[in-house]
Amino acid sequence: MRHRLTAIPVVIVVAAGLAACSTDNPSASPSPTATTASPTASATPTPTPTVAELSAANFVERVSAAEAAVTSYDIAVSVAGPVAMDLTGSADLAGGKRNVAMTMSDPDMGSIELRMVDSILYLNLGEASGGLFLQLDPNDAGNPLASSFAGFEDQILENGLAGMDQAVVSVTKVGAPEALDGTDVQAYEVVFDTAKIAPDAAQKLLENEGVPALPPTMTITYWLDAQDVARKTVYQLEGTTTTTHVTNLGAGAPVTAPPADQVTTEMPF
């Protein structure tokens, strides 16, 4: 998982904080030295706060700022292209938790289910694990499979746009607002100059996408709700189209460890 609100291999983040302009609200009062009645002054109406348009200058800041506020959600990822994949999952990050669950359908390996609950990883590889969840400690250096997930828990909370603030070339509103899963959203097309992505972020992007090099620019379309939460994102890379839907913000499916009778510590290979 690249970061809190996306799953392998997606690098899009969601959420943002809206900034409002504050204004004074002065009211007039009669002069205490007035000897004659004066008309009653009416209070100045409070102007409606305005929110700056999303732009190349503020996109990463706004999207990153509100990401931390999203503590529970469901996600669906579809990857179409030479290597197709579908993934569904949920995250529960409330109160400092880093619990996630995901089920991935892979053309070669079939259905794979992963859960990270209270720092313990549960991995169901279908027939390869006898239909049971392998219980793994990512900090177990003596277990190659377990240790391959070292750092996975920390990645759950990573900001997926870290290191990309200087890379935003343009943010363009696309079309009119529309309804998506019962929520009003607005599409924005965001262009990134990959040469301006910070080296560490660029390397993670290459690893997550499984490509040898990035194109000069990447274009990602975000469908943002009124709070700038990305309810849908779409991008193309190396002939592959990745589409992500995020739903049930604040009310994602519970993430729990599998029942004991569905767990094994015996390595099948």
Side-chain angles (χ1 to χ4, degrees), residues 147-205:
S147 60
S148 68
F149 288 91
F152 175 81
E153 188 177 31
D154 293 333
Q155 292 173 15
I156 293 170
L157 295 181
E158 282 186 357
N159 173 5
L161 282 178
M164 299 182 73
D165 51 327
Q166 301 299 316
V168 182
V169 175
S170 62
V171 177
T172 306
K173 186 181 293 186
V174 180
E178 58 187 282
L180 178 66
D181 301 322
T183 301
D184 291 336
V185 296
Q186 173 65 57
Y188 291 87
E189 189 175 84
V190 182
V191 178
F192 296 89
D193 180 345
T194 60
K196 295 182 180 180
I197 298 176
D200 288 349
Q203 183 59 38
K204 288 181 179 180
L205 183 54

Side-chain angles (χ1 to χ4, degrees), residues 9-266:
V10 186
V11 294
I12 316 303
V13 292
V14 291
L18 297 177
C21 299
S22 60
T23 57
D24 294 329
N25 183 23
S27 59
S29 58
S31 169
T33 59
T35 57
T36 59
S38 59
T40 302
S42 59
T44 302
T46 301
T48 301
T50 59
V51 178
E53 287 286 334
L54 282 170
S55 67
N58 65 21
F59 182 82
V60 169
E61 179 182 5
R62 283 176 55 169
V63 169
S64 299
E67 181 182 350
V70 182
T71 57
S72 175
Y73 58 90
D74 295 329
I75 190 169
V77 182
S78 176
V79 179
V83 181
M85 184 197 75
D86 290 303
L87 181 149
T88 58
S90 302
D92 179 6
L93 310 175
K97 291 182 288 187
R98 290 179 283 184
N99 297 341
V100 297
M102 62 181 73
T103 300
M104 182 176 69
S105 177
D106 182 271
D108 296 323
M109 300 186 65
S111 180
I112 300 171
E113 186 173 356
L114 178 152
R115 302 185 196 181
M116 173 70 82
V117 181
D118 298 333
S119 301
I120 297 299
L121 184 72
Y122 301 90
L123 187 62
N124 190 327
L125 300 174
E127 293 183 3
S129 60
L132 299 176
F133 286 87
L134 292 172
Q135 180 176 317
L136 303 169
D137 180 355
N139 295 315
D140 182 1
N143 185 323
L145 178 59
S147 60
S148 68
F149 288 91
F152 175 81
E153 188 177 31
D154 293 333
Q155 292 173 15
I156 293 170
L157 295 181
E158 282 186 357
N159 173 5
L161 282 178
M164 299 182 73
D165 51 327
Q166 301 299 316
V168 182
V169 175
S170 62
V171 177
T172 306
K173 186 181 293 186
V174 180
E178 58 187 282
L180 178 66
D181 301 322
T183 301
D184 291 336
V185 296
Q186 173 65 57
Y188 291 87
E189 189 175 84
V190 182
V191 178
F192 296 89
D193 180 345
T194 60
K196 295 182 180 180
I197 298 176
D200 288 349
Q203 183 59 38
K204 288 181 179 180
L205 183 54
L206 289 170
E207 293 172 356
N208 290 331
E209 297 296 337
V211 295
L214 297 174
T217 62
M218 284 185 64
T219 300
I220 302 171
T221 304
Y222 298 75
W223 281 259
L224 305 182
D225 67 14
Q227 284 71 46
D228 291 351
V229 176
R231 298 305 186 104
K232 176 183 177 182
T233 58
V234 176
Y235 69 97
Q236 295 182 333
L237 186 64
E238 294 286 325
T240 296
T241 300
T242 301
T243 303
T244 303
H245 283 90
V246 176
T247 57
N248 301 323
L249 298 184
V255 179
T256 59
D261 61 358
Q262 297 181 20
V263 176
T264 181
T265 57
E266 297 293 329

